[in-house]
Amino acid sequence: MTRHLIDVVDFSATEINAILDLAETPISDLRQPLAGKGAALIFEKPSARTRHSMEMAVVQLGGHPVFTRGEEIGFDIREPVEDVARIMEGFHSLIAARVFDHSTVTRLAAVSSVPVVNMLSDHSHPLQAFADALTMRQNLGDLAEKTVAFVGDYNNVARSLAEISALLGMHVHLASPPGFEADEAELERILLLGAASVEQGNRPIDMVVGADAVHTDTWVSMGEEADKAEKLQKFEGFTVDDTMMAAAGTNSIFMHCLPAYRGFEVSADVIDGPRSVVFQQGHNRMHAARGALAFLLGDNA
Ligand code: CP
Ligand code: NVA
């Protein structure tokens, strides 16, 4: 049966570790599962990291990436999502999409005979989470019982990070302003995935205490530009700055999926400071993408 990468929870903890191991496997030791094959990469939203890391991962596995802007494809405008999947599976061994509406990637996956990869939706960003876990593992060692803190909007990036952290047995701390938090059912779901513990609060300084890794993301995600003024006001006090990193502890690392808005979700001192691993994390997007694609395409024996 075709495996898809729609969410982190499509994979078990064992499979996630296998993907992280494949991400660190020399390219010369991987099969070339995409040799002579194509990969459709469709973007309804802008991207720097995801486009480049996925294009390079496809090339490193022997394939040819074909980038197309969402407007050209016109999901449900030019033709139904399902027709796009049925056409692309005839050309390509992989269909990847960055979409506004999560149901677009689930609908692609429902009919596609080739793997479908979610390159970010309003709901989740699993490829980012694989790079986040890889980066934490490289800096912190075995992640079981380590503590991850996410400060900011409980958005697509936060959800996928919480899922992968839970599956790897971490303590998960979340700090969001009222109205931008995970609800009770979501906290329960994260706990049941295997988190060592789950805590959520409205005071970020409390939630980062003891964190081995402090993460944040933009307060205004793509597609939410109309809410910007309101969100900037509601997120006051949620900037990850030196005071917050001091509360986290002296060995804690700072992470951000990027792009970052200095002076808003993170101070320049922190993101450009010695505890920041954001560029290692960004570069890991390519290694994690290669590991995930190698796994999906059969390097998972
Ligand atoms: N982190 C991330 O997904 O970056 P891009 O939006 O540039 O792809
Ligand atoms: N939460 C952000 C992530 C960008 C990589 C967004 O969806 O725009």
Side-chain angles (χ1 to χ4, degrees):
M1 211 179 98
T2 307
R3 293 287 298 267
H4 303 288
L5 198 175
I6 303 300
D7 277 302
V8 168
V9 294
D10 296 336
F11 301 88
S12 67
T14 306
E15 290 175 330
I16 289 168
N17 278 312
I19 289 171
L20 301 186
D21 290 344
L22 281 168
E24 290 186 316
T25 301
I27 297 167
S28 55
D29 290 350
L30 297 174
R31 292 189 316 111
Q32 292 271 291
L34 287 173
K37 310 253 174 76
L41 308 183
I42 304 167
F43 284 83
E44 290 190 321
K45 298 172 178 174
S47 171
R49 280 144 291 271
T50 306
R51 177 178 176 184
H52 283 258
S53 60
M54 281 290 283
E55 287 207 16
M56 289 314 300
V58 168
V59 167
Q60 289 166 347
L61 296 174
H64 178 84
V66 178
F67 166 86
T68 322
R69 290 166 60 96
E71 303 93 281
E72 289 176 66
I73 296 290
F75 285 125
D76 284 340
I77 296 169
R78 200 159 176 269
E79 58 188 317
V81 169
E82 289 76 10
D83 286 7
V84 175
R86 290 190 183 109
I87 283 298
M88 292 296 162
E89 70 183 4
F91 304 147
H92 298 291
S93 293
L94 181 81
I95 302 170
R98 167 168 283 198
V99 299
F100 283 97
D101 190 340
H102 189 68
S103 68
T104 303
V105 281
T106 57
R107 285 171 60 196
L108 286 169
V111 298
S112 174
S113 62
V114 301
V116 171
V117 174
N118 173 10
M119 297 194 293
L120 180 146
S121 70
D122 55 344
H123 179 74
S124 55
H125 196 2
L127 289 173
Q128 182 66 51
F130 283 112
D132 295 349
L134 182 63
T135 310
M136 289 195 286
R137 195 173 84 163
Q138 289 170 345
N139 283 279
L140 307 172
D142 182 13
L143 296 177
E145 300 288 337
K146 297 275 187 341
T147 300
V148 61
F150 181 90
V151 176
D153 194 4
Y154 190 74
N155 61 13
N156 45 8
V157 166
R159 179 175 294 105
S160 294
L161 174 66
E163 289 177 353
I164 207 160
S165 302
L167 280 160
L168 296 176
M170 300 181 79
H171 295 277
V172 178
H173 291 190
L174 304 168
S176 309
F180 299 94
E181 306 142 295
D183 63 22
E184 281 304 319
E186 175 71 354
L187 296 177
E188 183 68 15
R189 186 181 73 87
I190 298 299
L191 185 63
L192 290 174
L193 287 176
S197 67
V198 179
E199 279 185 55
Q200 179 168 250
N202 300 135
R203 275 175 48 88
I205 201 94
D206 295 340
M207 288 299 114
V208 298
V209 171
D212 297 288
V214 177
H215 293 243
T216 188
D217 181 19
T218 181
W219 295 336
V220 186
S221 285
M222 292 180 274
E224 295 181 349
E225 290 76 12
D227 305 334
K228 185 171 174 179
E230 183 206 337
K231 286 190 101 175
L232 294 194
Q233 201 188 8
K234 296 213 162 130
F235 281 79
E236 228 181 279
F238 280 76
T239 306
V240 178
D241 57 13
D242 281 329
T243 311
M244 222 182 274
M245 289 307 290
T250 43
N251 293 321
S252 146
I253 55 174
F254 172 75
M255 299 181 63
H256 190 311
C257 62
L258 304 177
Y261 301 90
R262 287 166 175 76
F264 293 92
E265 74 272 11
V266 60
S267 70
D269 284 352
V270 167
I271 194 167
D272 299 320
R275 298 160 75 174
S276 171
V277 296
V278 298
F279 294 108
Q280 176 187 357
Q281 180 185 3
H283 295 152
N284 273 336
R285 289 293 310 274
M286 179 174 75
H287 305 304
R290 187 177 62 247
L293 297 192
F295 184 92
L296 280 179
L297 298 164
D299 246 324
N300 56 358

